[in-house]
Structure formats: C-alpha cells, structure tokens
Amino acid sequence: MRPVGSITRGTTNPNRLRRVDRWIAGELGRALRGAADPLVVDLGFGASPVTTVELFRRLHAVRRDVEVVGLEIDPDRVRQAVALVPATPGLSFAHGGFELGPLGGRRPVLVRAFNVLRQYDEAAARTAWDRVAAALAPGGALVEGTCDEPGRVATWVRVAAAGPQSLTFGAHLPSLGTPARFAERLPKALIHRNVAGEPVHELLRAMTAAWDASAPHGVFGPRQRWLATVEKVATEWPVDVAGARRRVGELTVPWESVDPRGHQP
Ligand SMILES: C[S@@+](CC[C@H](N)C(=O)[O-])C[C@H]1O[C@@H](n2cnc3c(N)ncnc32)[C@H](O)[C@@H]1O
C-alpha cells in the first residue's frame, strides 16, 4: 500500500522532544510495561533520525524489550536514517505514513507524531487522528503535538481509540515569558480555534491572566510562579492539580474542556 500522507519540511533538532518524551515515560509508562507487544512508532521523524533514537533510549529505560520503529513518508529520509544510525536491536526505520503499513498489522501501544500535522489542514489532521488511533493496541495512545525549534514550548494531545482524551501544555519555565506563547504552538486541531468564543481561546486567556496575577511569586523563581498559575487556572478549569507534573512546567486539561465548538465527531 502506498504510504498515506504527504512529504513536508523535515525540520528537527536534538533533544527537541524531551518534554513530551518525559511525559510519555511518566504517563504512558504503565501501558508500555503492560503491553503484550511493546511496539512504539515515531511517525514523521524528519530530516534526521535523532529524536527517534532519543525516544528509543528513553523508552528502553522503561521497558528493555521495547521496539521503536521510525516511520517517514520521505523515502530519502528513511535511507539516510538507516545509513546513519548504527544497527541497534529494537530500533528500526521504514517508509510509511498514516496507514502504518510497515507494521504489517501489528498494533502499536504508542504512536508519537510530533510536528507532523502542522502542514495538513484541520480536517485532514482529524482524519489522521482517527486512522492512527484505530490501529492502536488496546489501551494504546497516539501522542500528537507541536513544539518550537528547541523544544521549549510544546503542546500535545493524547488520542485513544475512543477519541482525544487530553491536552497538555509544557514549557521551559525560565524562558517562557508568558503562557500566551503556547498560542503559536497549538496542535492543528486547535490552532485555528484560538478565537473569541472557542474554549481554547478562553483557556489561554485564563492562563495568561493567572500568570500575570502570579507575578509576585516570580521572586521565588519561575516554577513558583507557574505553580501559582496552575492553581489559579484550576479554580475555573478542570486541571489536574494533584499530579506532580505541574512541577516540571506542565498543565493538562481533559480534551472535552477544549473541544472546538461546532466540531462534528
Ligand atoms: C517537521 S518534521 C518533524 C520531525 C520530528 N518529529 C520533530 O518533531 O522534530 C515532519 C516530518 O513528518 C513527515 N511526514 C509528514 N506526513 C507524514 C505521514 N503521513 N507519514 C509519515 N511521515 C510524515 C514529513 O515528511 C517530515 O519529515
């Protein structure tokens, strides 16, 4: 089968995806440890295979027999990756797209697709979610998101077979400046919805207002300011404040709280 999708810019950077990988290891580590087949896909690894190699190393620490397959729709990038990366048991690269063809029907417990859907239109991005999520193993997840070039500002959506579950914001707090910066790094499903009347717009406004109101906490450092921000936002939004993840500069809300108005599932 011909790979489904289109070749887009291959921009990537070493360590760019460390935030989402740390979240994956923490939040999805249990699913990976319990998976009958510990198969993971990095969909759209880009012009260099570096972030796939990093994902493999991070997940190998969670489960020694993890198998990571880097898929890319550009066959030249696959050839380069194969030539560049020393043969490593459990790590491979193949030519494929949203159909996950090279897996031959095996069901991955995790698919990470980062900075892949930005070049698609919103409807195509939703179709890609549905297609990939339908191919997951039971309890598996697609983690789809976007970040800036060095990976200091990122957002991602956890998508299960039943549909999108959560939206997470993650940032390097000392350089964040303002949560308004997340606006330009929203996933494709939300980036055009950052307009008055849409829930994600209201959430970003609430985060920015809470950050401004928490400025006095900044004397104790950006982490204290962020923690105060998350607590303020949680008075109006269903934010998970019990978890430890906010300490590393994250904020997660259930998808239903940001699902665009008028969206037809
Ligand atoms: C901007 S790069 C992202 C690289 C890396 N994931 C990162 O975040 O740094 C996007 C890559 O996704 C690839 N791509 C786009 N659509 C795809 C699809 N349907 N299946 C596989 N790869 C795809 C593009 O060819 C491109 O190399």
Side-chain angles (χ1 to χ4, degrees):
M1 186 190 205
R2 213 169 140 258
V4 176
S6 9
I7 297 173
T8 56
R9 274 178 306 162
T11 320
T12 188
N13 264 316
N15 231 5
R16 181 189 201 193
L17 303 184
R18 63 197 175 282
R19 277 170 220 292
V20 66
D21 287 355
R22 180 176 55 193
W23 182 89
I24 286 171
E27 298 296 297
L28 305 179
R30 181 192 275 207
L32 176 61
R33 280 190 292 272
D37 182 3
L39 177 65
V40 170
V41 170
D42 185 24
L43 187 60
F45 58 80
S48 146
V50 63
T51 63
T52 312
V53 174
E54 291 165 350
L55 178 67
F56 173 71
R57 289 195 186 129
R58 288 168 184 146
L59 296 185
H60 192 255
V62 176
R63 183 161 168 172
R64 308 294 283 181
D65 60 345
V66 69
E67 189 180 333
V68 174
V69 181
L71 290 187
E72 195 16 270
I73 201 158
D74 181 339
D76 287 339
R77 293 175 186 160
V78 178
R79 276 192 282 276
Q80 281 165 21
V82 170
L84 204 70
V85 178
T88 308
L91 176 62
S92 61
F93 299 92
H95 181 216
F98 298 139
E99 80 301 336
L100 309 182
L103 304 186
R106 282 172 71 194
R107 292 182 165 269
V109 63
L110 165 70
V111 177
R112 185 188 71 179
F114 239 75
N115 300 299
V116 172
L117 296 183
R118 284 299 288 273
Q119 315 285 329
Y120 291 80
D121 65 31
E122 194 182 309
R126 281 278 185 163
T127 306
W129 275 8
D130 294 344
R131 181 157 200 163
V132 173
L136 293 168
L142 160 67
V143 179
E144 189 273 312
T146 308
C147 65
D148 65 353
E149 299 223 344
R152 291 184 156 198
V153 178
T155 69
W156 56 90
V157 181
R158 173 183 180 165
V159 185
Q165 306 294 307
S166 60
L167 170 70
T168 298
F169 300 84
H172 174 252
L173 297 175
S175 62
L176 179 62
T178 166
R181 286 190 58 214
F182 287 116
E184 62 201 43
R185 300 292 164 185
L186 287 170
K188 191 70 194 194
L190 293 174
I191 195 154
H192 305 298
R193 306 306 187 120
N194 186 20
V195 292
E198 287 285 357
V200 74
H201 182 71
E202 301 309 321
L203 175 56
L204 283 173
R205 277 174 47 141
M207 288 167 66
T208 305
W211 177 260
D212 291 346
S214 302
H217 295 264
V219 296
F220 303 110
R223 177 183 290 179
Q224 293 306 319
R225 185 173 180 180
W226 178 257
L227 291 175
T229 300
V230 173
E231 268 181 31
K232 279 192 190 9
V233 175
T235 61
E236 292 178 4
W237 288 81
V239 176
D240 172 18
V241 279
R245 306 220 56 88
R246 64 198 168 115
R247 299 196 63 78
V248 295
E250 291 175 11
L251 182 151
T252 295
V253 290
W255 177 261
E256 65 212 29
S257 67
V258 289
D259 201 5
R261 296 211 196 291
H263 170 251
Q264 303 291 319

